[in-house]
Amino acid sequence: MTRVGVWLIGARGSVATTAVLGALAVRSGASGRTGCVTERPEFAPARLPGIGDLVFGGHDVSEIRLCKNAERLARAGVLPAHLPPAFADELDRTEHRLRRGLHAAATTGVGRRDVDRLEADLREFAEREALERVVVVDLSSTEPRPEPHAEHTDADALEAALDAGTARIPASSAYAYAALRAGCAFVEFTPNTGPRLPALARLVERSVVPWAGCDGKTGETLVKSALAPMFAARALHVRSWSSLNLLGGGDGATLADPANAESKLASKARGLEHMLGHGPDGPLHIDYVPDLGDAKVAWDHVSFEGFLGARMTLQFTWSGYDSALAAPLVLDLARLTAHAHRRGRVGPVPELAFFFKDPVGTREHGLAEQWRALTSWCAAPEEEAE
């Protein structure tokens, strides 16, 4: 049986906990597969690794154990109440595979020892669990945009700064660097810099591994990527598109910091101009509302112009649990990225744009076109897929 490792950065967070518990429940038959894109019949020709073949480990700086976080998510209504106690032993076994991560505040002085430790954790995980390959998925908190430094653009400068213990790189890029050195595929599920650091480009090619990203498309932006192409195709002129996002939980608290929110806002806004062919007016806000807990709410107001200048509007509200929306996509991306690795793909995989707000390797943001690219790739014979 093919065993694929899924190493989660932010492994004790809400999305990671939901993904791990969900995979355990699906494997045992205790839960259905609703929300798992790769369970659709279009993906059968790709012979993806099964959800039950995924083995989880990860890095985190949190001390809250998976079982405790799962219980909290059940109390909040994100998870069925019966699942955390039913899989407590399996969650504990996953807990034993978790390792101490990098603190984001420490990345002003990342050294060779830090990257070596992260890499060693990945190699030890793959060897101990007898894994065919490992996919690293970044589910960590959103980082501020990094200030430019020489080690961001030049590979030699990065190596020298790491040797001196003075590299000023984002934590996500340190994790990506370690993953590439360990020969692991990488998924940047956040708007963080990760493998996009220019100095890592040469390492990506040398490591002969694929990577996918960036910023998982789970809610409001998913709706936008379906609606915006509709306006463009019907030659309706969008005058303004205003968006208000209300978030609770840890993600909301992180994005309450304007420096952290900048990356997320840029990621959310980037696709709209590409899909419409112009940048419409209208603000885009993310506000922290602690009372919402693990829920998020988005309200959008679209002002558009039709034949003979008739002014019209569309409004929609999206409300959901981000962890429940994101977790099945994490499982999908782990399976698909492992598939790309098996097929010998190197560098960004644009066929996976369907899952991201700010996809790498392509300028296509329309959901329908992204879906066609993804399913065509998975249906193609292996000798044609590249």
Side-chain angles (χ1 to χ4, degrees):
M1 177 168 45
T2 299
R3 285 164 54 87
V4 172
V6 184
W7 190 266
L8 304 171
I9 309 302
R12 294 189 177 101
S14 297
V15 175
T17 301
T18 306
V20 172
L21 183 57
L24 293 171
V26 166
R27 183 181 66 186
S28 72
S31 177
R33 301 176 183 231
T34 302
C36 296
V37 175
T38 47
E39 289 298 295
R40 289 176 56 98
E42 292 91 338
F43 296 89
R47 296 180 291 112
L48 302 175
I51 292 176
D53 300 329
L54 304 179
V55 181
F56 296 92
H59 283 117
D60 208 323
V61 295
S62 171
E63 300 287 334
I64 302 174
R65 296 176 65 84
L66 285 170
C67 280
K68 291 297 182 184
N69 200 29
E71 291 168 2
R72 180 189 66 79
L73 289 168
R75 289 193 298 271
V78 180
L79 301 175
H82 69 280
L83 287 184
F87 293 95
D89 290 343
E90 288 90 340
L91 287 174
D92 279 340
R93 280 194 283 274
T94 301
E95 183 71 42
H96 289 306
R97 302 189 198 107
L98 305 188
R99 300 293 181 264
R100 179 173 56 87
L102 274 183
H103 221 291
T107 55
T108 51
V110 178
R112 179 71 58 192
R113 183 178 300 177
D114 299 305
V115 176
D116 286 348
R117 176 175 65 82
L118 300 177
E119 180 185 355
D121 290 339
L122 290 168
R123 293 187 181 278
E124 191 263 342
F125 172 59
E127 182 177 351
R128 184 184 66 247
E129 301 296 332
L131 303 172
E132 181 183 80
R133 61 191 78 251
V134 175
V135 178
V136 178
V137 184
D138 183 12
L139 301 174
S140 61
S141 297
T142 302
E143 301 167 335
R145 286 187 174 183
E147 294 293 329
H149 296 291
E151 60 263 33
H152 292 180
T153 57
D154 184 80
D156 292 333
L158 174 60
E159 293 286 345
L162 286 169
D163 288 338
T166 60
R168 291 163 291 184
I169 62 175
S172 60
S173 295
Y175 284 120
Y177 187 33
L180 295 171
R181 286 188 13 166
C184 301
F186 197 89
V187 176
E188 187 50 80
F189 200 77
T190 78
N192 294 337
T193 304
R196 290 182 291 182
L197 200 72
L200 296 183
R202 191 171 72 185
L203 180 63
V204 170
E205 295 177 1
R206 191 167 66 237
S207 300
V208 198
V209 296
W211 74 277
C214 298
D215 200 3
K217 184 164 58 179
T218 59
E220 180 210 28
T221 309
L222 177 66
V223 179
K224 284 183 174 181
S225 68
L227 289 180
M230 175 196 72
F231 284 107
R234 290 295 298 267
L236 297 170
H237 177 65
V238 174
R239 298 173 59 90
S240 65
W241 196 312
S242 305
S243 304
L244 173 64
N245 294 259
L246 306 178
L247 282 76
D251 198 25
T254 298
L255 295 175
D257 183 337
N260 293 332
E262 183 183 4
S263 296
K264 175 67 77 172
L265 288 169
S267 176
K268 287 175 71 67
R270 194 166 287 125
L272 199 56
E273 182 173 353
H274 288 297
M275 289 183 284
L276 295 175
H278 68 282
D281 291 335
L284 171 58
H285 285 292
I286 298 178
D287 294 319
Y288 176 40
V289 183
D291 180 60
L292 288 176
D294 288 279
K296 67 176 183 180
V297 176
W299 172 76
D300 280 49
H301 181 280
V302 185
S303 170
F304 64 97
E305 186 176 286
F307 192 51
L308 304 179
R311 296 282 294 273
M312 295 166 274
T313 62
L314 166 72
Q315 297 182 47
F316 70 85
T317 302
W318 175 277
S319 178
Y321 292 116
D322 199 47
S323 299
L325 292 164
L329 304 188
V330 171
L331 304 180
D332 289 330
L333 283 163
R335 301 173 73 191
L336 289 163
T337 309
H339 175 62
H341 196 184
R342 180 174 63 84
R343 284 186 163 183
R345 292 294 293 269
V346 178
V349 183
E351 292 88 348
L352 299 181
F354 177 78
F355 296 95
F356 298 104
K357 297 182 182 75
D358 187 18
V360 295
T362 177
R363 292 172 62 86
E364 181 57 66
H365 289 263
L367 192 67
E369 290 299 326
Q370 291 176 338
W371 174 253
R372 280 191 283 271
L374 174 63
T375 53
S376 295
W377 173 60
C378 286
E382 294 201 10
E383 62 271 14
E384 299 177 12
E386 314 315 321

